[in-house]
Structures are given as structure tokens and as C-alpha cells.
Amino acid sequence: MSTRPSLFTRGLSGLSQQSDPNSPMSVSSPAEQRDDAKRNFLKAMRPLPTQHYWNVWFDRQAKDQQQSKTTDGGNGEYHAQLEQLGDRIESVQDFWRYNNNTPVDQIKMRESIYLFKSGFKPIWEDRRNILGGSWTFRVPKSIGPDVWTRVQLLAIGEKLQSVLEEGDQICGVGLSVRFNSHLISIWHRDASRQGSIDAMLQCVLDELPTELRPTSNNYFYKKHSDHAGFKVPPELQAVIDSQRAREAAAKAAQEQAAAAGPGAGTDAAGQGAAPDIVEVPPSGEK
């Protein structure tokens, strides 16, 4: 006569194997069932990837370090203080893991933390930043961490990128600690695009709740090349010269148009006036 096969179990306590279905120990409590469901859900949930990869940088400025950010063409002092922290952020879960374990209120005076796209460094003279600029918002320390989290989400969620002009790009965001405030900055690549500059500001003001919104005298925009400590690497001098020449030409054209007045270029009948024809004398004649 064959024997009944035994039920093989592993890792179960003796109490959980009771055969009495009416035993209170044979059924998990509602709290245990919820915990099991939560664990199973977290195991099954796949990470939600961000559109770009991001890196976290930390700046420990030495006491004797000047506020200017030098490059390898200078004394290299700033590079020595800048370090990349942790692993690359590739998903929303990665971001919250980093953000929830980074106590902003413990960052010391004059130190800074940055969240930048992979391939970018939070340095004015970096090849990808050199033609750009940034908005800086000064907020009280009491609300700084909350504003910082929201601005980071605007960056990794591509909300800031969506308002830029075509061809422009968000580089990253940063938080710097001052005596009684936090300076939160948003960097982009092309400071010549006024539409991008205006749209970034409006995006931040629209997305922040009223109680976190900075007042108009507590934010400003500045091109990286306008900072006193900006030093152009020799290999990028031609890039800066070309940008400045374009800006000068655009400014001259605007001033000329303003001086001519709104009716310039049209005759009394409202028709476009014929342009003057200037005859160029042969070479050598005056």
C-alpha cells in the first residue's frame, strides 16, 4: 500500500504549518497582508528612467579660495575642490534615493551641491557652458530644501527644457549656502537666447507655490562670461570673441533701428522707400 506523499516546505515555522484551518495562526493579519502586497509590488515595479542621465557634484570651497572659479589654465584650485558624488542618476527612483539621503541643511557655508546632466560640469568655463548663463534665486534657509527639490524635479522632469528656444539646452541646477539663505541656480547653454531666459524665469514662478516663490528683488540672471572670476581657456578664446562680436552687431542694429524711429524705411504713402544705390569707384579711386 502506497503512502501519502508528504508536503515539503522550506523556511516556514511550525506554527504556520498547522493543519487546523480555524486556527488564528493559519491566516495572516490584514497588516501582514498589506506588507506582503507592498513588498511584491516594489519587487515587480521597474525603475522609471529619466530622459537624460544626471550626476551629482559637490563643491567644498577652501577658506582661502577666492570666489572666482578657475580652470586648468589658471591655478587649478577650483577643480581640486569639485568632486562627483555617488552613482549616476538614471531613473526617478535613483533621484529620490539621492535626494532623500542628502541633508541640505547640513551643507556648510560657501559649499555647493549641483545636479547636472552627464557630460556637463558645474564650471563656467566648461566647454559646454562657456556661452551660457544662469538664473539665481535667493531664498531663506527655512524653505531652501523644499525649493531645491522642486527645482531639481523641474530639471529631471524636462519641464525647464520644454520652455527653452530650439537649440538651447538645460545644463543643470545648483544650490549654494550663504549666511542666512540658499542660492538656487539654473544653468543653460546659450545666453544669447532671450526667449529662453524669459521662459525659464516664468516657468519657475509658475511652478512654485506662492509661499515658496521668491520676490522680484531676490533673483537675477547673469552670463557666465560676465562674472569677475571668469577666465577663458586659450583654446576657447575664439568662441568667446565670436559671441561678443555677434552681440555687439545685434546691439548696434537695435540702436540704429531705435534711432530711425517707427516710420523709418517707408515713404509718405506708406510704401517701402527704394534703397539708395551707392556706386563703388574702381579700386584706387576716391
Side-chain angles (χ1 to χ4, degrees):
M1 180 177 178
S2 62
T3 60
R4 295 177 59 186
S6 60
L7 177 63
F8 177 76
T9 59
R10 177 180 297 172
L12 298 178
S13 66
L15 290 175
S16 64
Q17 300 179 44
Q18 295 185 52
S19 58
D20 183 4
N22 296 321
S23 171
M25 300 301 296
S26 64
V27 179
S28 299
S29 67
E32 291 174 333
Q33 292 176 359
R34 287 194 297 270
D35 289 342
D36 289 341
K38 182 178 179 180
R39 281 192 293 269
N40 292 334
F41 172 76
L42 292 175
K43 288 180 180 179
M45 185 176 64
R46 291 182 294 180
L48 182 63
T50 53
Q51 185 169 334
H52 294 89
Y53 295 149
W54 299 80
N55 292 318
V56 180
W57 297 86
F58 193 73
D59 176 15
R60 292 185 176 90
Q61 292 196 8
K63 292 182 179 180
D64 58 348
Q65 180 181 348
Q66 296 180 353
Q67 293 185 19
S68 62
K69 298 183 177 181
T70 60
T71 64
D72 290 334
N75 57 22
E77 189 176 19
Y78 183 72
H79 281 290
Q81 303 298 328
L82 189 66
E83 62 177 305
Q84 185 175 328
L85 300 181
D87 298 327
R88 185 172 65 181
I89 293 176
E90 302 181 0
S91 67
V92 175
Q93 288 85 344
D94 289 343
F95 167 77
W96 284 114
R97 188 178 301 112
Y98 133 74
N99 190 72
N100 292 341
N101 290 281
T102 306
V104 175
D105 56 352
Q106 294 183 20
I107 300 177
K108 298 178 182 178
M109 179 75 164
R110 294 285 174 184
E111 293 182 341
S112 304
I113 190 168
Y114 300 92
L115 179 67
F116 266 58
K117 288 178 180 175
S118 292
F120 291 80
K121 288 184 178 180
I123 302 173
W124 300 328
E125 300 88 349
D126 182 76
R127 179 178 294 273
R128 291 188 172 188
N129 298 331
I130 197 166
L131 296 180
S134 65
W135 276 105
T136 300
F137 302 85
R138 182 184 296 273
V139 297
K141 284 186 175 180
S142 59
I143 62 173
D146 196 358
V147 176
W148 171 234
T149 297
R150 291 171 183 267
V151 169
Q152 289 182 104
L153 290 173
L154 291 177
I156 70 165
E158 305 299 329
K159 180 67 175 180
L160 286 168
Q161 181 64 45
S162 69
V163 304
L164 299 186
E165 291 183 357
E166 185 177 356
D168 200 0
Q169 188 177 9
I170 291 293
C171 306
V173 295
L175 177 143
S176 299
V177 178
R178 295 298 183 263
F179 177 68
N180 60 356
S181 62
H182 288 150
L183 302 182
I184 297 175
S185 57
I186 303 173
W187 297 36
H188 73 128
R189 290 192 68 175
D190 193 346
S192 69
R193 298 179 182 271
Q194 189 61 44
S196 291
I197 296 172
D198 296 339
M200 282 192 296
L201 173 61
Q202 194 60 49
C203 177
V204 172
L205 297 180
D206 288 345
E207 294 297 327
L208 289 179
T210 305
E211 63 273 15
L212 299 180
R213 195 174 300 156
T215 56
S216 59
N217 61 331
N218 279 317
Y219 53 79
F220 63 90
Y221 181 86
K222 197 169 189 176
K223 294 190 297 184
H224 301 323
S225 59
D226 286 344
H227 287 274
F230 181 84
K231 294 184 179 180
V232 185
E235 67 274 14
L236 297 179
Q237 184 64 57
V239 177
I240 292 295
D241 292 343
S242 177
Q243 182 198 39
R244 288 172 176 169
R246 290 195 303 269
E247 291 175 350
K251 183 178 180 180
Q254 291 176 354
E255 292 175 349
Q256 184 177 8
T266 59
D267 57 18
Q271 301 295 324
D276 295 333
I277 299 176
V278 180
E279 295 184 1
V280 180
S283 177
E285 295 185 9
K286 294 184 180 179

